[in-house]
Amino acid sequence: MCKVIAIANQKGGVGKTTTTSNLGIGLAKQGKKVLLIDADAQGSLTASLGIQEPDRLEITLATIMAAIINDEEIKPEYGILRHEEGVDFMPGNIELSGLETSLVNVMSRETVLRTYIEQQKDRYDYILIDCMPSLGMITINAFTSADSILIPVQAAYLPVKGLEQLIKTIGKVKRQINPKLEIEGILLTMVDNRTNYARDISNLLIENYGSRVRIFENSIPMSVRAAEISAEGVSIYKHDPNGKVASAYQSLTEEVLGNE
Ligand code: ATP
Ligand code: MG
């Protein structure tokens, strides 16, 4: 059985892309077949997997979604790239923003990405979707395709208000389009253990959401080693195998596997 997890938070820079690549590669290291999908026009996931200029790629998620909108047949492996650390990925780039605008007038505009993902499900154990920092149509497409949503929250800002809106949107998609949709959990990222602030945020999250939403036991520490990997094109397991961030993403991987 394939599990589809969207990594989402409309707040920018909270660690969505870093989590998508390192959880994905973590799952692949555990022997799982993994497809990562870059659903962000910034192409950060694509870049962090070693493609230096995502905008020069010819076949991306935008190409695939356009083909589906035009009712064209595509082979399941079409345009999928492979990373040296054992994950496949469907790249994304700037063309997704044009596609997002054109979705407005499309029949079944919420389910275009789901049509693609349904084709991939028998080829993978996990499909992770890196969402853009917005709750626009492409993100709604990701929620419509997903079994669950993993929400990274940066430990350095008070997340309550933005999270409320996110959880509301997830609830709406669940009620109206995708009844099986669940929240995988809230993941605290960029935790600076030298301050008490992270603990305050963590307590605040538990107080406000603990009864409704699972909060991952593992959080991801702040480390410049993690910030370096987007330019390196490799995972934290390769860049800094003995560091605290590698070990945190490894533990997160185990937690996610435990949810199977
Ligand atoms: P966006 O909303 O723009 O898509 P994002 O939520 O995907 O952003 P990332 O790109 O993963 O967030 O991370 C934002 C920045 O923080 C990046 O420069 C990344 O390298 C850095 N970063 C991610 N995780 C950590 C960490 N644990 N410690 C320090 N820096 C980190
Ligand atoms: Mg990102």
Side-chain angles (χ1 to χ4, degrees):
M1 265 284 279
C2 175
K3 184 163 186 184
V4 182
I5 307 177
I7 322 298
N9 189 336
Q10 76 276 26
K11 167 100 177 116
V14 296
K16 294 181 287 295
T17 301
T18 308
T19 299
T20 306
S21 67
N22 291 290
L23 172 60
I25 291 172
L27 289 164
K29 281 157 60 77
Q30 299 292 322
K32 302 294 179 187
K33 281 192 270 175
V34 178
L35 174 67
L36 307 180
I37 296 181
D38 191 347
D40 182 357
Q42 297 177 95
S44 322
L45 178 69
T46 302
S48 79
L49 294 169
I51 306 292
Q52 287 179 356
E53 293 182 72
D55 290 348
R56 298 182 66 155
L57 284 172
E58 259 175 46
I59 307 163
T60 63
L61 185 61
T63 328
I64 302 285
M65 289 180 73
I68 292 168
I69 291 166
N70 296 326
D71 221 9
E72 292 161 13
E73 284 269 333
I74 35 157
K75 290 213 171 75
E77 63 277 10
Y78 185 66
I80 290 180
L81 303 176
R82 194 164 176 78
H83 185 260
E84 60 182 72
E85 290 176 75
V87 294
D88 285 355
F89 65 105
M90 170 47 65
N93 68 14
I94 188 70
E95 288 181 32
L96 268 179
S97 53
L99 185 107
E100 175 149 52
T101 316
S102 70
L103 269 178
V104 177
N105 298 313
V106 166
M107 205 199 301
S108 315
R109 57 191 176 158
E110 290 94 358
T111 58
V112 177
L113 181 58
R114 180 159 79 187
T115 303
Y116 177 61
I117 287 179
E118 287 300 327
Q119 282 190 10
Q120 301 297 337
K121 277 190 169 172
D122 55 349
R123 308 173 67 225
Y124 295 100
D125 300 311
Y126 281 91
I127 299 177
L128 307 186
I129 311 168
D130 183 27
C131 294
M132 63 179 89
S134 91
L135 294 172
M137 274 315 295
I138 305 261
T139 300
I140 299 298
N141 265 263
F143 291 2
T144 302
S145 316
D147 297 301
S148 69
I149 298 178
L150 189 157
I151 307 173
V153 168
Q154 190 180 342
Y157 92 113
L158 288 176
V160 178
K161 215 171 169 193
L163 269 184
E164 221 33 90
Q165 193 193 357
L166 176 57
I167 291 170
K168 230 187 215 166
T169 304
I170 295 169
K172 200 167 168 191
V173 172
K174 183 180 168 81
R175 283 187 300 278
Q176 298 187 7
I177 326 178
N178 180 10
K180 68 178 189 302
L181 186 61
E182 300 291 344
I183 296 179
E184 186 75 27
I186 295 177
L187 173 69
L188 219 52
T189 60
M190 302 184 215
V191 175
D192 184 351
N193 285 317
R194 293 167 307 180
T195 70
N196 289 327
Y197 199 57
R199 185 162 315 227
D200 294 346
I201 299 267
S202 176
N203 286 336
L204 196 75
L205 276 175
I206 293 167
E207 255 169 53
N208 283 282
Y209 299 100
S211 61
R212 291 184 280 161
V213 181
R214 162 201 163 96
I215 296 162
F216 283 104
E217 262 169 52
N218 289 283
S219 55
I220 311 299
M222 170 90 84
S223 156
V224 0
R225 307 293 281 163
E228 287 161 3
I229 55 174
S230 41
E232 297 279 324
V234 296
S235 73
I236 194 68
Y237 312 110
K238 203 152 204 182
H239 182 65
D240 186 27
N242 301 316
K244 57 191 178 180
V245 174
S247 129
Y249 273 114
Q250 162 101 44
S251 304
L252 174 71
T253 302
E254 283 158 20
E255 252 189 280
V256 168
L257 282 170
N259 277 357
E260 255 180 12

